[in-house]
Amino acid sequence: MKIKTVLLAIFLASGTLFAQDWQTDFERAKEMAKSGNNPIILVFQGSDWCAPCIKLDQQIWSSEEFKNYSSDHFVMLLADFPRKKQNMLPAEQQKKNEQLAETYNSKGYFPLVVVLDKDGKVLGQTGYKKISVKEYISLLESFSG
């Protein structure tokens, strides 16, 4: 029984080792952007209902190529708006995401990817595009000059 528990713990830990390092707090993301001199990639998504959001996650955000590149070049900030009851966010997080949406996504587009400087100034925005990971990285980089 103990061996199964240890194996399960190792399996769960390994899954988080390679997961995208998503921030969910805007102030923390700005601090990280300032210290690393990196732009913030703010992603508005509906993780459990928005088909283009799910494709963007599967094809770009979850790719090893993007994860490897973004870890040194971007601060990833997620504003998720799930609809299914079992995926609902804590009220505090939902409020933070709504505040971000008021400022950066007033029209309610999903997915919306907003590239921000370290102070939160918009440098550019995009959404889902059926392009390669390398092309998507180039697109994001083009906004920060």
Side-chain angles (χ1 to χ4, degrees):
M1 186 66 173
K2 287 183 181 181
I3 292 174
K4 286 182 183 179
T5 305
V6 170
L7 289 175
L8 178 63
I10 291 170
F11 174 75
L12 293 173
S14 69
T16 58
L17 277 176
F18 301 105
Q20 182 70 47
D21 186 20
W22 288 100
Q23 300 304 308
T24 55
D25 181 84
F26 188 42
E27 294 307 315
R28 173 77 179 120
K30 287 195 293 188
E31 289 171 15
M32 292 173 68
K34 286 176 184 173
S35 69
N37 198 29
N38 292 321
I40 299 167
I41 308 298
L42 170 56
V43 178
F44 290 95
Q45 74 174 20
S47 62
D48 64 3
W49 59 270
C50 170
C53 300
I54 294 166
K55 285 182 181 179
L56 185 58
D57 182 50
Q58 291 172 345
Q59 295 171 7
I60 305 296
W61 311 138
S62 295
S63 73
E64 289 304 312
E65 183 178 359
F66 187 83
K67 288 189 274 189
N68 290 336
Y69 185 85
S70 67
S71 66
D72 293 328
H73 296 87
F74 301 132
V75 175
M76 301 299 295
L77 177 62
L78 180 63
D80 192 15
F81 291 84
R83 290 186 180 164
K84 294 180 182 173
K85 190 174 184 175
Q86 69 266 26
N87 298 331
M88 286 299 168
L89 302 173
E92 183 181 339
Q93 186 61 50
Q94 188 172 337
K95 185 176 179 183
K96 286 180 182 182
N97 291 355
E98 288 168 0
Q99 289 171 337
L100 282 170
E102 284 177 26
T103 304
Y104 296 106
N105 191 5
S106 60
K107 295 190 182 218
Y109 293 130
F110 289 90
L112 180 65
V113 179
V114 185
V115 181
L116 306 168
D117 72 6
K118 63 186 183 300
D119 298 312
K121 179 183 169 219
V122 176
L123 302 173
Q125 63 184 36
T126 189
Y128 171 74
K129 297 194 179 306
K130 192 174 172 123
I131 58 178
S132 72
V133 174
K134 187 175 185 174
E135 291 169 315
Y136 208 90
I137 290 170
S138 294
L139 174 64
L140 295 176
E141 288 287 4
S142 73
F143 295 125
S144 52

